Amino acid sequence: MTENHPSPDQCHVFVYGTLKPNESNYDQYCAGKVIAQQQAIAYGELFALPMGYPAMTIGNMQIYGYVLTFPDDIILEAMDGLEDYQSDRATSENLYNRQKIETFDLAGSFLGLAWAYLMTKEQVIKFAGSAQTDGWWSSFSGDRPKF
């Protein structure tokens, strides 16, 4: 990710699940649209859900993923659909809620704010999510990169 002078129009999204490179939704939603990507850390709690995808909640653990940079925020419309998020619905009515969170590079330096899709703890409990205490989720077993 080049930090020369990022355009104010660029859109940064922290992804930790199926939207990561090489995961199931990357090709459909991100491939050919991403102008930069960087391994990154955000803080929260990470859970694997029985449906085959993860959920991140507010918390203090390191979550490993990527900051994807898009030329503008048009991408959010498609991602909102994937994540079942509508800004005009109550938080409890959305599957995920989109909010800006702080992101950091692997050395711990602040990268900036990025959009992320977070689930409420209540939803995670309802879906019987299992904690991913190492902060990494992948649909491929043993696919953890060297962060």
Side-chain angles (χ1 to χ4, degrees):
M1 196 178 208
T2 56
E3 291 296 76
N4 301 345
H5 292 289
S7 163
D9 296 333
Q10 289 180 347
C11 179
H12 306 284
V13 181
F14 178 76
V15 296
Y16 56 88
T18 64
L19 289 168
K20 291 185 306 194
N22 301 315
E23 290 289 348
S24 61
N25 284 316
Y26 181 85
D27 285 349
Q28 181 180 347
Y29 291 89
C30 306
K33 300 173 184 125
V34 171
I35 57 173
Q37 68 183 39
Q38 179 173 356
Q39 290 180 328
I41 296 168
Y43 287 87
E45 288 186 49
L46 188 64
F47 299 86
L49 301 177
M51 299 83 84
Y53 52 84
M56 180 176 164
T57 64
I58 292 171
N60 298 314
M61 297 178 63
Q62 287 187 340
I63 308 301
Y64 297 91
Y66 293 82
V67 170
L68 303 180
T69 302
F70 299 90
D72 52 48
D73 64 4
I74 292 169
I75 191 68
L76 295 176
E77 186 176 326
M79 288 184 175
D80 286 354
L82 172 67
E83 308 292 6
D84 191 20
Y85 167 73
Q86 291 181 24
S87 60
D88 58 353
R89 283 196 305 214
T91 300
S92 61
E93 294 176 11
N94 286 317
L95 182 61
Y96 290 88
N97 289 283
R98 177 167 42 90
Q99 63 187 77
K100 287 218 171 166
I101 62 169
E102 294 182 340
T103 61
F104 302 86
D105 68 16
L106 301 184
S109 297
F110 182 64
L111 287 175
L113 295 175
W115 289 110
Y117 291 88
L118 305 181
M119 193 174 275
T120 64
K121 286 265 175 88
E122 293 76 21
Q123 287 277 63
V124 169
I125 292 166
K126 180 174 116 181
F127 293 133
S130 60
Q132 304 294 286
T133 55
D134 66 352
W136 176 255
W137 178 90
S138 177
S139 61
F140 310 102
S141 59
D143 186 46
R144 185 180 165 108
K146 297 199 173 20
F147 273 90

